[in-house]
Amino acid sequence: DNELKKINLSIKHFKKALKRAKNKEFKSKIVYMLAKSELALYDINNSKVVNYNSTKVHETKRAYSWNISTTYENYIIKGYGKFFDDLKNKYQDTNYYKELLKECGYLNYYHDTVEDIKRVNTQIKNSLNKIELLKSIENDTKLKRKNDLNKYNQIYFYNLFRNIKLSKSNVTYYNNIAYYLNKKRKNNEAIYILEKIVNKYPNRVVALYNLGDAYYDIYDMDMAKKYYKKYVALMKKLKKENNIPKKVLSRIQSW
Protein backbone atom coordinates (compact mmCIF):
# COMPACT_ATOMS: atom_id res chain seq x y z
CA ASP A 1 0.00 0.00 0.00
CA ASN A 2 2.83 2.38 0.84
CA GLU A 3 4.58 1.60 -2.44
CA LEU A 4 1.38 2.30 -4.35
CA LYS A 5 0.97 5.69 -2.65
CA LYS A 6 4.58 6.63 -3.41
CA ILE A 7 4.36 5.62 -7.07
CA ASN A 8 1.10 7.53 -7.58
CA LEU A 9 2.65 10.55 -5.86
CA SER A 10 5.72 10.38 -8.10
CA ILE A 11 3.49 10.19 -11.20
CA LYS A 12 1.56 13.23 -9.98
CA HIS A 13 4.71 15.32 -9.61
CA PHE A 14 6.31 14.10 -12.84
CA LYS A 15 3.16 15.18 -14.69
CA LYS A 16 3.39 18.62 -13.04
CA ALA A 17 7.04 18.87 -14.09
CA LEU A 18 6.19 17.82 -17.64
CA LYS A 19 3.50 20.49 -17.87
CA ARG A 20 5.87 23.27 -16.77
CA ALA A 21 9.05 22.16 -18.55
CA LYS A 22 10.05 24.04 -21.71
CA ASN A 23 13.18 22.22 -22.91
CA LYS A 24 12.35 19.23 -25.11
CA GLU A 25 15.37 17.19 -24.01
CA PHE A 26 14.39 17.66 -20.39
CA LYS A 27 10.76 16.79 -21.15
CA SER A 28 11.87 13.53 -22.77
CA LYS A 29 13.67 12.61 -19.52
CA ILE A 30 10.51 13.31 -17.52
CA VAL A 31 8.43 11.15 -19.86
CA TYR A 32 10.91 8.30 -19.42
CA MET A 33 10.59 8.63 -15.63
CA LEU A 34 6.81 8.49 -16.07
CA ALA A 35 7.23 5.32 -18.14
CA LYS A 36 9.39 3.76 -15.39
CA SER A 37 6.84 4.80 -12.77
CA GLU A 38 4.08 3.18 -14.81
CA LEU A 39 6.10 -0.04 -14.95
CA ALA A 40 6.36 0.03 -11.17
CA LEU A 41 2.61 0.69 -10.96
CA TYR A 42 1.95 -2.33 -13.16
CA ASP A 43 4.27 -4.43 -10.98
CA ILE A 44 2.40 -3.49 -7.79
CA ASN A 45 -1.06 -3.91 -9.30
CA ASN A 46 -0.17 -7.39 -10.55
CA SER A 47 1.48 -8.63 -7.38
CA LYS A 48 -0.29 -10.91 -4.97
CA VAL A 49 0.06 -12.97 -1.83
CA VAL A 50 1.28 -16.41 -2.80
CA ASN A 51 1.00 -19.58 -0.70
CA TYR A 52 3.00 -22.44 -2.17
CA ASN A 53 1.54 -25.12 0.07
CA SER A 54 -1.20 -25.65 2.63
CA THR A 55 1.14 -25.29 5.61
CA LYS A 56 2.13 -21.81 4.44
CA VAL A 57 5.77 -22.51 5.17
CA HIS A 58 6.75 -20.90 1.87
CA GLU A 59 4.58 -17.80 1.99
CA THR A 60 5.46 -14.31 0.87
CA LYS A 61 3.30 -11.23 1.22
CA ARG A 62 4.21 -10.11 -2.25
CA ALA A 63 5.24 -12.22 -5.22
CA TYR A 64 5.95 -11.07 -8.73
CA SER A 65 7.81 -12.93 -11.44
CA TRP A 66 9.39 -10.61 -14.01
CA ASN A 67 9.61 -12.24 -17.40
CA ILE A 68 10.28 -9.71 -20.14
CA SER A 69 8.22 -11.56 -22.76
CA THR A 70 5.05 -12.40 -20.82
CA THR A 71 5.29 -9.22 -18.74
CA TYR A 72 5.22 -6.90 -21.73
CA GLU A 73 2.46 -8.92 -23.35
CA ASN A 74 0.34 -8.47 -20.21
CA TYR A 75 1.49 -4.88 -19.77
CA ILE A 76 0.17 -3.84 -23.18
CA ILE A 77 -2.94 -6.03 -23.13
CA LYS A 78 -4.00 -4.47 -19.81
CA GLY A 79 -3.78 -0.94 -21.20
CA TYR A 80 -0.38 0.27 -20.00
CA GLY A 81 2.31 1.87 -22.17
CA LYS A 82 1.10 5.45 -22.76
CA PHE A 83 4.42 7.04 -21.79
CA PHE A 84 6.54 4.63 -23.83
CA ASP A 85 4.32 5.54 -26.77
CA ASP A 86 4.73 9.25 -26.05
CA LEU A 87 8.52 8.86 -26.01
CA LYS A 88 8.50 7.46 -29.53
CA ASN A 89 5.75 9.66 -30.97
CA LYS A 90 6.81 13.00 -29.47
CA TYR A 91 10.48 12.78 -28.55
CA GLN A 92 12.17 10.41 -30.98
CA ASP A 93 14.21 13.31 -32.40
CA THR A 94 15.83 14.07 -29.02
CA ASN A 95 19.37 12.97 -28.15
CA TYR A 96 18.06 11.50 -24.91
CA TYR A 97 15.65 9.17 -26.73
CA LYS A 98 18.38 8.08 -29.14
CA GLU A 99 20.62 7.18 -26.19
CA LEU A 100 17.76 5.27 -24.57
CA LEU A 101 17.40 3.13 -27.67
CA LYS A 102 21.03 2.08 -27.25
CA GLU A 103 20.89 1.45 -23.51
CA CYS A 104 17.33 0.47 -22.53
CA GLY A 105 16.45 -3.05 -23.61
CA TYR A 106 12.98 -2.76 -22.08
CA LEU A 107 12.15 0.23 -24.28
CA ASN A 108 13.21 -1.65 -27.40
CA TYR A 109 11.31 -4.75 -26.37
CA TYR A 110 8.18 -2.69 -25.72
CA HIS A 111 8.29 -1.16 -29.19
CA ASP A 112 8.99 -4.57 -30.75
CA THR A 113 5.95 -5.98 -28.95
CA VAL A 114 3.76 -3.12 -30.20
CA GLU A 115 4.89 -3.88 -33.74
CA ASP A 116 4.07 -7.57 -33.18
CA ILE A 117 0.54 -6.58 -32.18
CA LYS A 118 0.10 -4.61 -35.41
CA ARG A 119 1.57 -7.40 -37.55
CA VAL A 120 -0.51 -10.18 -35.98
CA ASN A 121 -3.63 -8.03 -36.10
CA THR A 122 -3.14 -7.54 -39.85
CA GLN A 123 -2.63 -11.28 -40.40
CA ILE A 124 -5.83 -12.16 -38.54
CA LYS A 125 -7.83 -9.43 -40.28
CA ASN A 126 -6.76 -10.83 -43.63
CA SER A 127 -8.08 -14.30 -42.77
CA LEU A 128 -11.08 -14.87 -45.00
CA ASN A 129 -12.99 -17.38 -42.89
CA LYS A 130 -13.00 -16.69 -39.16
CA ILE A 131 -14.41 -20.08 -38.13
CA GLU A 132 -11.88 -21.90 -40.31
CA LEU A 133 -9.14 -19.89 -38.60
CA LEU A 134 -10.36 -20.99 -35.17
CA LYS A 135 -10.52 -24.60 -36.39
CA SER A 136 -6.97 -24.32 -37.67
CA ILE A 137 -5.71 -22.97 -34.33
CA GLU A 138 -7.57 -25.69 -32.47
CA ASN A 139 -5.97 -28.32 -34.69
CA ASP A 140 -2.49 -26.81 -34.25
CA THR A 141 -2.74 -26.65 -30.46
CA LYS A 142 -4.03 -30.21 -30.36
CA LEU A 143 -1.45 -31.85 -32.62
CA LYS A 144 1.73 -29.75 -32.55
CA ARG A 145 4.47 -29.79 -29.94
CA LYS A 146 4.85 -26.87 -27.54
CA ASN A 147 7.96 -25.60 -29.34
CA ASP A 148 5.97 -25.39 -32.57
CA LEU A 149 3.31 -23.18 -30.97
CA ASN A 150 5.48 -20.13 -30.25
CA LYS A 151 3.40 -17.79 -32.40
CA TYR A 152 0.36 -18.52 -30.24
CA ASN A 153 1.26 -16.17 -27.41
CA GLN A 154 -0.96 -13.77 -25.47
CA ILE A 155 -0.43 -11.06 -28.09
CA TYR A 156 -1.82 -13.42 -30.72
CA PHE A 157 -4.94 -14.21 -28.70
CA TYR A 158 -5.38 -10.56 -27.74
CA ASN A 159 -5.66 -9.80 -31.45
CA LEU A 160 -7.78 -12.87 -32.08
CA PHE A 161 -10.42 -11.73 -29.59
CA ARG A 162 -10.38 -8.24 -31.10
CA ASN A 163 -11.13 -9.63 -34.55
CA ILE A 164 -13.28 -12.66 -33.68
CA LYS A 165 -15.53 -11.66 -30.81
CA LEU A 166 -16.35 -14.38 -28.31
CA SER A 167 -19.87 -15.70 -28.91
CA LYS A 168 -22.02 -18.77 -28.39
CA SER A 169 -21.18 -19.92 -31.90
CA ASN A 170 -17.42 -20.02 -31.29
CA VAL A 171 -16.98 -20.43 -27.52
CA THR A 172 -16.37 -24.17 -27.92
CA TYR A 173 -13.45 -23.52 -30.26
CA TYR A 174 -11.92 -21.03 -27.83
CA ASN A 175 -12.41 -23.42 -24.92
CA ASN A 176 -10.81 -26.32 -26.80
CA ILE A 177 -7.85 -24.15 -27.81
CA ALA A 178 -7.32 -23.19 -24.16
CA TYR A 179 -7.60 -26.82 -23.08
CA TYR A 180 -4.92 -27.97 -25.53
CA LEU A 181 -2.67 -25.03 -24.63
CA ASN A 182 -2.92 -26.04 -20.99
CA LYS A 183 -1.96 -29.61 -21.89
CA LYS A 184 1.13 -28.23 -23.70
CA ARG A 185 2.03 -26.17 -20.60
CA LYS A 186 1.25 -22.86 -22.27
CA ASN A 187 -0.67 -21.88 -19.18
CA ASN A 188 -0.51 -18.08 -19.45
CA GLU A 189 -2.23 -18.25 -22.82
CA ALA A 190 -4.76 -20.83 -21.59
CA ILE A 191 -5.64 -18.69 -18.57
CA TYR A 192 -6.01 -15.58 -20.72
CA ILE A 193 -8.55 -17.32 -22.98
CA LEU A 194 -10.43 -19.11 -20.20
CA GLU A 195 -10.85 -15.94 -18.14
CA LYS A 196 -12.37 -14.26 -21.18
CA ILE A 197 -14.82 -17.17 -21.43
CA VAL A 198 -15.88 -17.31 -17.77
CA ASN A 199 -16.23 -13.52 -17.60
CA LYS A 200 -18.78 -13.64 -20.42
CA TYR A 201 -20.24 -17.08 -19.66
CA PRO A 202 -19.88 -17.57 -15.87
CA ASN A 203 -21.95 -20.76 -15.94
CA ARG A 204 -19.83 -22.56 -18.50
CA VAL A 205 -18.87 -25.59 -16.45
CA VAL A 206 -16.02 -26.94 -18.54
CA ALA A 207 -14.27 -23.55 -18.66
CA LEU A 208 -14.36 -23.25 -14.85
CA TYR A 209 -12.86 -26.73 -14.54
CA ASN A 210 -10.16 -26.03 -17.12
CA LEU A 211 -9.31 -22.69 -15.51
CA GLY A 212 -8.88 -24.39 -12.15
CA ASP A 213 -6.49 -26.87 -13.78
CA ALA A 214 -4.51 -24.12 -15.52
CA TYR A 215 -3.98 -22.19 -12.30
CA TYR A 216 -3.10 -25.39 -10.45
CA ASP A 217 -0.41 -26.10 -13.04
CA ILE A 218 1.30 -22.76 -12.38
CA TYR A 219 1.07 -23.36 -8.59
CA ASP A 220 -1.40 -20.53 -7.98
CA MET A 221 -3.43 -22.51 -5.48
CA ASP A 222 -5.63 -19.63 -4.38
CA MET A 223 -6.94 -19.02 -7.90
CA ALA A 224 -7.18 -22.75 -8.60
CA LYS A 225 -9.30 -23.22 -5.49
CA LYS A 226 -11.50 -20.27 -6.46
CA TYR A 227 -12.43 -21.76 -9.83
CA TYR A 228 -12.62 -25.36 -8.64
CA LYS A 229 -15.14 -24.26 -6.00
CA LYS A 230 -17.23 -22.44 -8.61
CA TYR A 231 -17.08 -25.54 -10.78
CA VAL A 232 -18.19 -27.86 -7.95
CA ALA A 233 -21.03 -25.54 -6.90
CA LEU A 234 -22.33 -25.36 -10.46
CA MET A 235 -22.08 -29.13 -10.93
CA LYS A 236 -24.09 -29.66 -7.75
CA LYS A 237 -26.67 -27.12 -8.93
CA LEU A 238 -26.98 -29.09 -12.16
CA LYS A 239 -27.28 -32.31 -10.10
CA LYS A 240 -24.11 -33.69 -11.70
CA GLU A 241 -22.01 -33.99 -8.54
CA ASN A 242 -21.30 -37.65 -9.33
CA ASN A 243 -19.38 -36.50 -12.41
CA ILE A 244 -16.99 -34.26 -10.48
CA PRO A 245 -13.45 -35.66 -10.87
CA LYS A 246 -11.98 -36.95 -7.61
CA LYS A 247 -8.82 -34.91 -8.15
CA VAL A 248 -10.84 -31.68 -7.90
CA LEU A 249 -12.43 -32.63 -4.58
CA SER A 250 -9.09 -33.85 -3.28
CA ARG A 251 -7.33 -30.61 -4.21
CA ILE A 252 -10.02 -28.45 -2.60
CA GLN A 253 -9.99 -30.48 0.61
CA SER A 254 -6.20 -30.49 0.88
CA TRP A 255 -5.95 -26.68 1.08
Side-chain angles (χ1 to χ4, degrees):
D1 291 339
N2 285 333
E3 284 183 81
L4 189 60
K5 289 177 183 177
K6 289 177 181 178
I7 291 299
N8 282 324
L9 188 60
S10 76
I11 290 174
K12 175 183 175 182
H13 286 293
F14 281 134
K15 284 183 176 180
K16 283 185 177 180
L18 182 64
K19 189 174 182 180
R20 297 186 180 188
K22 303 297 182 184
N23 181 274
K24 194 171 184 180
E25 288 287 339
F26 185 52
K27 290 175 80 170
S28 68
K29 295 178 182 180
I30 298 171
V31 173
Y32 183 60
M33 292 307 299
L34 279 164
K36 290 179 69 176
S37 297
E38 190 187 51
L39 276 173
L41 189 64
Y42 169 84
D43 179 4
I44 294 169
N45 287 338
N46 287 274
S47 298
K48 67 181 86 173
V49 173
V50 175
N51 300 320
Y52 289 100
N53 59 36
S54 59
T55 61
K56 298 188 179 179
V57 172
H58 305 292
E59 178 179 344
T60 176
K61 289 298 180 185
R62 181 157 172 237
Y64 184 78
S65 176
W66 180 270
N67 177 297
I68 191 169
S69 175
T70 56
T71 295
Y72 268 119
E73 290 172 14
N74 276 310
Y75 181 77
I76 295 170
I77 287 169
K78 293 185 177 180
Y80 294 86
K82 175 187 183 306
F83 301 111
F84 277 130
D85 290 338
D86 283 350
L87 267 174
K88 183 176 181 179
N89 296 333
K90 299 178 181 178
Y91 302 98
Q92 62 178 310
D93 60 338
T94 62
N95 291 326
Y96 184 72
Y97 179 76
K98 292 171 185 175
E99 286 300 312
L100 281 177
L101 289 177
K102 297 176 184 177
E103 298 177 8
C104 184
Y106 289 158
L107 176 63
N108 285 288
Y109 199 93
Y110 172 83
H111 288 320
D112 288 345
T113 305
V114 170
E115 290 305 311
D116 281 345
I117 289 177
K118 294 177 182 177
R119 175 180 54 79
V120 173
N121 192 53
T122 300
Q123 289 175 352
I124 294 173
K125 273 187 173 180
N126 290 338
S127 298
L128 297 177
N129 190 312
K130 306 304 183 187
I131 292 297
E132 287 302 316
L133 177 59
L134 290 175
K135 287 181 179 179
S136 174
I137 299 169
E138 179 185 7
N139 193 58
D140 282 351
T141 53
K142 179 180 180 179
L143 300 177
K144 291 184 177 180
R145 299 175 305 168
K146 180 180 179 180
N147 290 341
D148 296 325
L149 299 174
N150 290 334
K151 78 170 185 176
Y152 295 126
N153 55 21
Q154 288 184 89
I155 292 298
Y156 185 91
F157 292 112
Y158 168 72
N159 281 300
L160 194 66
F161 277 112
R162 289 169 70 191
N163 287 280
I164 308 178
K165 303 296 184 185
L166 183 64
S167 67
K168 290 182 179 179
S169 64
N170 62 33
V171 65
T172 299
Y173 293 114
Y174 274 117
N175 191 92
N176 290 346
I177 290 166
Y179 171 79
Y180 293 127
L181 287 169
N182 174 233
K183 293 302 178 185
K184 302 292 170 64
R185 295 293 186 264
K186 288 179 71 68
N187 293 303
N188 289 322
E189 291 81 2
I191 288 169
Y192 178 71
I193 295 170
L194 290 166
E195 286 190 335
K196 290 276 190 184
I197 293 173
V198 300
N199 284 339
K200 186 163 185 176
Y201 302 109
N203 292 328
R204 189 167 177 83
V205 178
V206 67
L208 293 170
Y209 174 44
N210 291 338
L211 193 48
D213 278 352
Y215 273 115
Y216 184 86
D217 287 344
I218 62 169
Y219 307 104
D220 190 335
M221 303 311 174
D222 290 334
M223 292 299 287
K225 185 176 181 179
K226 171 185 173 180
Y227 287 107
Y228 279 148
K229 280 189 167 183
K230 287 186 175 184
Y231 164 72
V232 169
L234 190 53
M235 289 291 280
K236 288 180 178 179
K237 184 178 178 180
L238 297 171
K239 301 189 184 303
K240 295 181 178 180
E241 55 264 45
N242 292 334
N243 295 330
I244 298 172
K246 291 181 180 180
K247 74 171 186 181
V248 173
L249 298 174
S250 175
R251 288 171 181 178
I252 291 176
Q253 291 167 1
S254 66
W255 298 327

